[in-house]
Amino acid sequence: PPPCPDIGTHAEPGRTPAPASEARVTALLADTSVVIPVKDDPLVVQCVASVDEDVEIVLALNGADEATHRRIRALDRPVRVAEIDEPNLGAAYNAAIDAAGRRHVLLMDSDCVFLPGTIRALAEAVADHPVVKGRVRFRSARGRLSRWIEQSRSFQIADHVNAYSPPLIYDRDIVDRIGGYHYSGLIHWEEDREFDFRLQLAGIPVAYLPDAVVEHAPQSGLTDLRSGLRYGIGEGIGQELGLFPTPRMRWRLANDLGSIVSIGRRKGPGPAFYRTAWLTSYHLGTLYQHLRDPYGVRPHYPRTARRVRAHPGVPGHSTLLSGEQRALLRASHERQGRRITSGPQGRVPS
């Protein structure tokens, strides 16, 4: 698959894989668990129905209501369920991955559906690359605002290569190299951003497979802006833990302006206007975390956790760390008792 043309990232240079035998692909699928976090999303039914291969399905319930439990009981295919009491994506992923019985973990969102062949393509690719990212295609409903949201979300996520989910598949054996854990249970939102940073510290590339596509359901403005607020809270937690670089305010303002100008040039003035509103929501979330700690995570921080000041910072849409940022984050992990080891790129040994 070709590399993403839009940015320079830690994506692995693309190359066309050799055709795999049917027996090999079948074995890879049998060793794959699809993990889907869900709180109260009725679209999880369509998500599960779109799984078109014989893989294990694990639902990560995080603060799920009774209606969600009824929907899951009514599913017409076997699923494994892991449950935590509160909305927390990082902890939900960890619970589901612990419950999963397969080597390869494929992360999916409940409001997305797999296009035919996507699961097979990702399972085949992870045989040669420890982390593989597919492409998320955002759909829009009728109306101008919905189109703006779709274009803004595409700029933020789909137009760039990173380890954000969905769809993301990885070999769980990489965990020993990235600090010994899958996702931070303290970072309720933006848990995949922290995962991406650790991959970079370990020298593990993200292979990009643009033909492996999932479709994201249309979102309303209120829902998406609320997501921006939550992502901002996750950013604040990551900064306080020393797992995200904390940039200067001057850099944040300049980066936001550059982001708005960039999306305006590529997508038009409407998406740029919406991007401005979304970034405002995001920064309010970060401020909210710093002022109120809404999820009550600070008492659980390691005593050695402290901010990592870096200038410049890391844009939300491009996760590429500079050499200085890598050194600072590696030192922060080591100070908190975690060792991230660099090694040769490629398949993780059995």
Side-chain angles (χ1 to χ4, degrees), residues 97-120:
I97 294 168
D98 287 344
R102 312 293 171 84
R103 174 173 179 173
H104 303 132
V105 177
L106 173 52
L107 303 179
M108 183 58 165
D109 280 1
S110 60
D111 54 359
C112 298
V113 295
F114 291 104
L115 294 195
T118 288
I119 296 174
R120 173 172 288 249

Side-chain angles (χ1 to χ4, degrees), residues 140-348:
S140 61
R142 293 181 179 178
R144 184 177 300 172
L145 177 60
S146 181
R147 290 195 299 273
W148 292 353
I149 295 171
E150 178 269 322
Q151 291 168 323
S152 177
R153 296 271 287 180
S154 294
F155 174 84
Q156 172 74 10
I157 299 173
D159 291 355
H160 304 277
V161 180
N162 46 46
Y164 292 176
S165 61
L168 185 81
I169 189 170
Y170 68 92
D171 187 324
R172 65 195 303 156
D173 287 357
I174 68 172
V175 167
D176 288 341
R177 286 176 53 190
I178 59 172
Y181 64 101
H182 295 272
Y183 290 94
S184 170
L186 295 176
I187 301 179
H188 288 52
W189 312 94
E190 287 209 339
E191 74 297 326
D192 47 4
R193 181 169 169 84
E194 195 268 338
F195 180 80
D196 184 289
F197 289 163
R198 283 182 287 129
L199 290 178
Q200 293 185 64
L201 298 182
I204 299 174
V206 178
Y208 181 46
L209 201 64
D211 292 334
V213 180
V214 302
E215 280 194 341
H216 197 294
Q219 283 195 305
S220 70
L222 181 60
T223 299
D224 193 48
L225 291 175
R226 186 168 60 240
S227 293
L229 184 76
R230 290 168 174 170
Y231 293 156
I233 292 172
E235 175 72 20
I237 296 172
Q239 290 178 8
E240 292 173 356
L241 282 167
L243 303 181
F244 295 171
T246 299
R248 297 175 183 172
M249 182 62 69
R250 181 177 59 187
W251 178 87
R252 294 179 193 173
L253 294 174
N255 178 73
D256 286 353
L257 180 60
S259 172
I260 294 165
V261 170
S262 179
I263 194 173
R265 288 174 176 170
R266 295 169 57 182
K267 309 286 186 178
F273 172 80
Y274 181 78
R275 178 71 174 167
T276 303
W278 193 93
L279 287 170
T280 300
S281 181
Y282 181 85
H283 292 310
L284 286 174
T286 302
L287 180 63
Y288 186 33
Q289 168 59 30
H290 294 334
L291 294 177
R292 298 296 301 271
D293 187 25
Y295 294 109
V297 294
R298 284 187 193 140
H300 305 287
Y301 289 175
R303 286 180 297 176
T304 53
R306 62 174 181 266
R307 287 179 179 272
V308 173
R309 304 282 181 178
H311 183 76
V314 185
H317 56 277
S318 169
T319 59
L320 186 63
L321 296 170
S322 69
E324 177 189 11
Q325 290 164 346
R326 294 185 189 208
L328 290 169
L329 290 182
R330 186 183 302 279
S332 182
H333 278 285
E334 290 179 353
R335 187 165 55 247
Q336 297 178 50
R338 294 183 296 269
R339 183 168 179 80
I340 298 178
T341 57
S342 298
Q345 298 181 358
R347 179 66 173 177
V348 177

